[in-house]
Amino acid sequence: MSTMYFMLTFFFSGIVTCHGSKSAYNAVPQLLLVSFDGFRADYLKNYKLPHLQEFIKDGVLVKHVSNAFITKTFPNHYSIVTGLYEESHGIVANKMYDADTKKKFSPPHDLDPFWWNEATPIWITNQQQESRTSAAAMWPGTDVKINNMTSHFFMKYNVSVSFVERMEKIVTWLNSSNPPVSFATLYWEEPDASGHKYGPEDIENMHKVLEQVDDHIGFLVAKLKAFGLWDNINIIITSDHGMTQCSREKIIKLDKCIGRDNYTLVDTTPVAAILPRSNKTYVYNLLKNCSTHMKVYLKEDIPDRFHYHHNNRIQPIILVADEGWTIAQNDPIIRLGDHGYDNALSSMHPFLAAHGPAFTKGYKQNTINIVDIYPMMCHILGLKPQPNNGTFSNTKCLLADQWCVSLPEAIGIVIGVLMVLTTLTCLLIIMKNRVPTPRPFSRLQLQDDDDDPLIG
Ligand SMILES: *[C@@H]1O[C@H](CO)[C@@H](O)[C@H](O)[C@H]1NC(C)=O
Ligand SMILES: *[C@@H]1O[C@H](CO)[C@@H](O)[C@H](O)[C@H]1NC(C)=O
Ligand SMILES: *[C@@H]1O[C@H](CO)[C@@H](O)[C@H](O)[C@H]1NC(C)=O
Ligand SMILES: *[C@@H]1O[C@H](CO)[C@@H](O)[C@H](O)[C@H]1NC(C)=O
Ligand SMILES: *[C@@H]1O[C@H](CO)[C@@H](O)[C@H](O)[C@H]1NC(C)=O
Ligand SMILES: *[C@@H]1O[C@H](CO)[C@@H](O)[C@H](O)[C@H]1NC(C)=O
Ligand SMILES: *[C@@H]1O[C@H](CO)[C@@H](O)[C@H](O)[C@H]1NC(C)=O
Ligand SMILES: [Zn+2]
């Protein structure tokens, strides 16, 4: 009877505490997703970034995010917020052409939803839940009416608006309670712009811009603290791609191999998208033999690992330059840094850091895929994810509410169990060998004793 009473009390108090701890938080968790464009993973190792390091100390770090091919800005930003490879979300390049509709995509001032409608980004899924709102400061696509809806709060893209202005808008929106903002995004063009201009190997100039980026992070944290938002908000700081050094000596000139009238150049470098005017085989043969520093693929032969095939916006022939090489028709204006190359190159990878009640404290992981970010964000916001290419379990160790054993821990446990088993086996063998031996003696002794006249 008393046991029953005890169990019932325990059961109900359990329910009560669960409810209690939930309402102690905000009713809906808040998540802020920040991207610093072109933040190559190893900048974190090679430059002093005190504010970012402070952020990571109490949060999590993923050292390399394996991003999507092609490693460009618009495609990877859309992969982050949809969990889809580029062939599946439809933003397959920064410059696109659709042969069926004859439309051209040329951002940043292209607001035609046509390009974005093949997927539903998380800021829209969030708003399709009851009483939830999204806010955005210039994340690619947030000012477009995707599926007939923009982010509730958003800013029209304008490169001249300062980081501080964007950040102040976002924090004010996050603090607004009517309607309550549960998901927000913030985008900044650096260190990408400087990476292109100077090249990532220009230590002095990259140091300057990374110092500014780090100050922006410090300012953001200070602002969130000033508004009293810091303790409850979850923040992800990540990026779309890395950057590699280019040079004036590493140029592939298409004009040397093929006449311009034979094809349309939809996108240029380092992944050139080629639309043949008439004879595809003819164009392919000429390009195939053009340079040893680029790979030439017919669309149907693009390697599976790129997940870059099933979309009309991928052109019939693509050229992929080797790291550091530039594809041009003639003499180009060379950028000293560039990205877009093979996503297996570690120079193309960004990082991810996160902080807040949803995340583990002080945990570091080597890698995740860029498409894994989406299911993790849906989990934090309690949203049912749209069909996607991400794997939730890849991010379990980053999350405070998930049970996770890291690889070193797992190896430790296995070794520990094996040692205990070995010890037990040894003990058993020793005891087995020991016990029978003294027996004959004891028997003999006993028999001797039996005959002892003193006992009998
Ligand atoms: C898009 O939204 C507007 C109002 O915001 C509505 O009038 C229109 O019918 C909607 N279109 C579609 C295709 O849902
Ligand atoms: C972009 O922002 C700048 C600085 O705030 C402003 O002067 C300019 O008018 C804006 N441009 C557009 C098109 O809104
Ligand atoms: C944040 O929102 C609260 C409640 O709406 C308001 O009282 C407070 O002044 C806001 N904070 C700032 C710094 O604007
Ligand atoms: C195709 O390019 C070749 C040179 O490679 C040129 O001779 C020829 O005229 C071009 N064909 C067309 C249709 O422009
Ligand atoms: C296309 O070009 C290839 C190789 O140059 C040639 O063998 C073929 O006959 C051409 N086809 C047509 C339809 O012109
Ligand atoms: C292809 O390249 C080889 C070696 O680089 C060269 O000998 C050959 O002439 C080239 N063929 C054409 C059609 O350009
Ligand atoms: C990625 O996800 C989409 C949506 O579920 C699916 O159609 C596509 O086949 C997936 N791609 C891969 C390579 O699994
Ligand atoms: Zn760039």
Side-chain angles (χ1 to χ4, degrees), residues 57-68:
K57 210 176 69 193
D58 280 340
V60 297
L61 171 68
V62 178
K63 292 175 191 165
H64 279 259
V65 174
S66 183
N67 48 352

Side-chain angles (χ1 to χ4, degrees), residues 220-233:
L220 171 65
V221 171
K223 200 83 185 176
L224 288 166
K225 283 180 177 167
F227 273 71
L229 296 168
W230 173 251
D231 289 335
N232 282 327
I233 198 167

Side-chain angles (χ1 to χ4, degrees), residues 103-262:
K103 285 187 181 193
K104 280 184 194 164
F105 177 69
S106 44
H109 301 293
D110 191 330
L111 297 179
D112 187 346
F114 168 77
W115 300 103
W116 305 86
N117 279 342
E118 289 185 7
T120 307
I122 190 168
W123 61 83
I124 290 181
T125 304
N126 185 53
Q127 286 180 171
Q128 284 164 345
Q129 303 283 307
E130 214 175 307
S131 70
R132 290 192 182 198
T133 301
S134 305
M138 300 195 190
W139 188 282
T142 47
D143 52 357
V144 181
K145 270 200 162 189
I146 302 168
N147 294 322
N148 208 22
M149 191 189 273
T150 62
S151 181
H152 180 86
F153 295 109
F154 73 95
M155 303 172 82
K156 259 194 155 32
Y157 185 74
N158 180 347
V159 70
S160 310
V161 174
S162 71
F163 180 83
V164 169
E165 218 173 306
R166 299 178 196 192
M167 184 204 68
E168 282 180 339
K169 273 249 161 73
I170 274 295
V171 176
T172 307
W173 286 330
L174 279 166
N175 189 49
S176 94
S177 52
N178 191 23
V181 171
S182 49
F183 178 74
T185 55
L186 172 58
Y187 169 80
W188 182 239
E189 287 82 356
E190 292 283 17
D192 182 73
S194 296
H196 284 299
K197 190 172 169 195
Y198 304 112
E201 285 170 13
D202 184 337
I203 306 293
E204 198 179 317
N205 280 304
M206 289 315 291
H207 171 77
K208 268 186 213 152
V209 71
L210 286 164
E211 203 170 36
Q212 280 169 13
V213 164
D214 191 59
D215 284 346
H216 290 337
I217 292 170
F219 197 23
L220 171 65
V221 171
K223 200 83 185 176
L224 288 166
K225 283 180 177 167
F227 273 71
L229 296 168
W230 173 251
D231 289 335
N232 282 327
I233 198 167
N234 298 297
I235 306 166
I236 295 172
I237 299 178
T238 187
S239 184
D240 48 354
H241 56 71
M243 189 70 68
T244 197
Q245 193 73 27
C246 296
S247 95
R248 291 183 180 88
E249 281 72 52
K250 296 181 177 173
I251 302 170
I252 300 157
K253 291 179 183 168
L254 300 182
D255 283 356
K256 286 195 168 168
C257 309
I258 183 169
R260 289 190 188 189
D261 292 344
N262 288 294

Side-chain angles (χ1 to χ4, degrees), residues 278-283 285-286:
S278 53
N279 188 335
K280 185 169 88 176
T281 316
Y282 172 74
V283 172
N285 284 340
L286 287 179

